[in-house]
Amino acid sequence: MSLFARISARIGSLQLDAEIAAESGPLVLIGPNGAGKTSLLSVLLGARSHDRARIVIGDTVLVDSERRIALPIGARRLGYVPQDYALFPHMTVRENVEFAMRAAGIPSAGALNVLQELGVAGLADRRPMALSGGEKQRVALARALSVRPRALLLDEPLAALDVHARREVRQLLAATLQRLALPTLIVTHDPLDARVLGTRIAALEGGKITQIGSWAELDAAPATHFVAEFVRSSEVG
Amino acid sequence: MQRIAIAGLGALLVAFLALPIIALFGTLSLSDMQVGLQRSLVWPALRLSVLTTLCSLVFVISLGTPLAWTLADRRGRFSGMIETVMQLPIVIPPAVAGVAMLLAFGRRGLMAGLLYPRGESVSFTTAAVIMAEVFVSAPFYVQAAISAFRRIDPRWITVAKTFGASELQVLFRVALPLSAPALVAGAAMSWARALGEFGATLMFAGNLEGRTQTLPLAIYTALESDMRAAQALAIVLVVFAFGLLLLIRSSAQSSEDRTR
């Protein structure tokens, strides 16, 4: 399965014109602050409106403005893990997953299985407040997967973690994503995240994609000053 | 030295606000209080106040919550205007509210033809008391609910919607539980305002014992004949209002804890 998206949208003073594709392996989206990364995710999700867009996952057309197709946010079935994970604080881990499944029309009896698959079934009766950063991340991923999504969108999945937790959770996440084999888009600020998690990397600057390629390609021939700095900072770190 | 002078000015205000409350409690002996509470107008007024303010609270919450949820979005073209209009009852004098209610819902009011085809009207009935209370107290709840809904991290809402949650599921399972403490605080504030309502009630509903004479009106009536009864009633009202204030403060505290 693959994810293809071509999007034109006006977001505040930013004109977003981007085309991205994620096929085998996650696509990582990098870019300076205010370049439109999170806005791009919002348009993909259907939380923000677009001017023109075409979004296709496998054979399913989610949005095609020429054919006047635009599935509403709840019908797109995208697994979304926002920054800081946004677990519902008034529900336990199990209730978080059950709520998602019920809203998606899936019998919620399978909630524990979903948690089991990500190795967090033992946390089922805890509240999000009582979880470590890495645990929250896995629970949020389990919740996103519980609705059997067509694709995964992760916004800064490791930014909320401290340096020690980060390395371990990064490896776990990479292994999980490989096993899932879902079209995946990851937004990150961190060069190491991009390098470890991304099969391909897309740089978004000022609302436009300035380069797409593997880490090696970006490293060998960075197209912009930002990409050059980004690649170099991973070597220093 | 300057610091002490500034604090001293503040202390003057504290003294000014505290003295009447102290006088209220300090100048009435326990036996006077007992005698005062035995006056015939006391219990009907107390019963009526509890009944009507609870009714108005039910109206305010069940209509105010959907309104606040709609306005919190800021999406509609008129939502800003409606929000401002909703705050009007806070600033207009209760006497003006009373006149306005009479002109709208009175026997010869704007809606009379529609509401009272057979001539009898709602004014000077218990229903009119509830209407006056809703009018003056609703803005307090609606305003608190709007700001509570706006404080919810929008990512929670977006995430819920990506699962396919309907608008009602988002409201009942996510928004309401997350803003519950702030909503309780708003409801308590609104209740306190309804309980103290005097001017609009007097003009629109009158001062009929057992039917429209609420606690504040009973205090006003008792004042003419028996100071002790007025004072005893006032103390009941103050104690109840203070309880509400404590509820508001503790709810506001847990609301801060909950929405990060």
Side-chain angles (χ1 to χ4, degrees):
Chain A
M1 273 245 277
S2 65
L3 175 144
F4 169 84
R6 192 175 59 226
I7 284 165
S8 287
R10 180 115 200 129
I11 286 145
S13 60
L14 180 79
Q15 178 62 40
L16 185 67
D17 290 296
E19 185 176 313
I20 53 166
E23 279 149 34
S24 51
L27 175 72
V28 167
L29 195 62
I30 62 170
N33 282 330
K37 302 186 296 292
T38 298
S39 301
L40 179 71
L41 284 190
S42 302
V43 175
L44 278 173
L45 287 168
R48 269 180 185 280
S49 57
H50 54 260
D51 298 325
R52 270 174 301 114
R54 185 173 154 76
I55 304 171
V56 183
I57 299 174
D59 301 328
T60 313
V61 178
L62 302 188
V63 177
D64 189 341
S65 41
E66 274 170 29
R67 287 159 56 197
R68 293 180 179 277
I69 298 172
L71 294 188
I73 179 167
R76 294 191 187 188
R77 285 224 339 261
L78 296 170
Y80 173 47
V81 179
Q83 220 173 334
D84 300 330
Y85 315 127
L87 295 170
F88 300 120
H90 58 294
M91 302 180 193
T92 63
V93 165
R94 184 208 303 259
E95 285 164 349
N96 262 276
V97 175
E98 284 173 347
F99 170 74
M101 297 178 85
R102 244 177 258 137
I106 297 169
S108 61
L112 214 55
N113 289 339
V114 178
L115 290 168
Q116 202 127 40
E117 270 171 48
L118 286 184
V120 283
L123 307 174
D125 295 320
R126 290 220 215 144
R127 295 265 169 158
M129 272 235 288
L131 303 180
S132 73
E135 288 168 342
K136 277 186 198 163
Q137 197 257 0
R138 296 186 74 67
V139 170
L141 193 58
R143 186 180 63 172
L145 291 169
S146 73
V147 302
R148 297 173 199 154
R150 298 183 168 107
L152 266 181
L153 308 183
L154 314 180
D155 192 359
E156 299 279 4
L158 305 166
L161 309 175
D162 62 53
V163 186
H164 297 291
R166 214 169 159 129
R167 178 197 264 178
E168 193 191 320
V169 177
R170 190 190 289 122
Q171 295 304 336
L172 261 169
L173 181 61
T176 308
L177 292 178
Q178 198 171 16
R179 181 163 55 83
L180 291 169
L182 271 172
T184 301
L185 183 64
I186 304 171
V187 167
T188 184
H189 268 105
D190 186 306
L192 214 54
D193 292 352
R195 194 173 180 172
V196 174
L197 298 174
T199 306
R200 279 161 38 95
I201 292 147
L204 184 71
E205 297 175 62
K208 315 277 181 289
I209 299 287
T210 51
Q211 189 169 14
I212 290 198
S214 67
W215 180 269
E217 284 163 355
L218 264 63
D219 192 20
T224 65
H225 180 69
F226 168 78
V227 175
E229 287 289 311
F230 189 86
V231 170
R232 214 183 52 194
S233 61
S234 103
E235 282 149 19
V236 178
Chain B
M1 191 60 208
Q2 286 173 349
R3 217 185 141 74
I4 293 170
I6 293 171
L9 285 175
L12 270 181
L13 184 61
V14 172
F16 177 74
L17 296 180
L19 259 173
I21 308 289
I22 293 169
L24 198 57
F25 283 88
T27 59
L28 191 72
S29 71
L30 209 61
S31 60
D32 282 349
M33 173 104 185
Q34 275 170 343
V35 173
L37 284 179
Q38 273 158 12
R39 283 281 309 270
S40 66
L41 87 179
V42 170
W43 294 106
L46 194 64
R47 200 179 56 89
L48 190 70
S49 263
V50 170
L51 177 82
T52 56
T53 53
L54 281 178
C55 283
S56 82
L57 193 62
V58 169
F59 278 111
V60 165
I61 291 174
S62 51
L63 301 178
T65 309
L67 175 66
W69 180 243
T70 311
L71 292 180
D73 230 18
R74 283 201 197 93
R75 251 201 307 229
R77 200 189 306 173
F78 300 112
S79 64
M81 217 174 72
I82 295 171
E83 207 180 321
T84 310
V85 171
M86 277 306 297
Q87 288 173 330
L88 258 183
I90 297 178
V91 291
I92 65 174
V96 175
V99 173
M101 303 268 316
L102 269 175
L103 290 172
F105 305 112
R107 200 154 59 86
R108 289 197 209 95
L110 210 55
M111 307 291 286
L114 195 72
L115 292 175
Y116 322 120
R118 275 176 297 162
E120 81 282 16
S121 90
V122 73
S123 41
F124 307 106
T125 65
T126 305
V129 176
I130 298 170
M131 286 166 77
E133 285 170 352
V134 169
F135 187 86
V136 299
S137 70
F140 290 91
Y141 175 75
V142 171
Q143 204 48 48
I146 289 175
S147 24
F149 288 146
R150 283 194 185 141
R151 271 201 306 274
I152 297 175
D153 188 332
R155 278 177 296 195
W156 277 322
I157 308 292
T158 303
V159 165
K161 286 184 179 168
T162 62
F163 301 143
S166 66
E167 193 71 19
L168 280 180
Q169 280 174 318
V170 171
L171 178 60
F172 279 97
R173 299 275 290 134
V174 180
L176 286 184
L178 285 173
S179 31
L183 296 182
V184 169
M189 191 94 90
S190 164
W191 195 2
R193 177 63 190 87
L195 206 59
E197 166 45 34
F198 178 80
T201 312
L202 185 64
M203 300 191 71
F204 182 50
N207 188 6
L208 310 168
E209 197 180 315
R211 279 180 70 191
T212 69
Q213 190 177 75
T214 55
L215 274 179
L217 290 164
I219 293 174
Y220 176 73
T221 308
L223 202 57
E224 290 174 348
S225 56
D226 184 355
M227 187 65 183
R228 275 179 308 183
Q231 208 172 344
L233 280 172
I235 286 173
V236 171
L237 210 47
V238 168
V239 169
F240 194 77
F242 189 67
L244 283 178
L245 184 64
L246 291 181
L247 177 68
I248 293 168
R249 291 195 63 117
S250 74
S251 296
Q253 186 56 49
S254 62
S255 157
E256 264 170 48
D257 297 345
R258 195 171 291 205
T259 43
R260 295 196 270 189

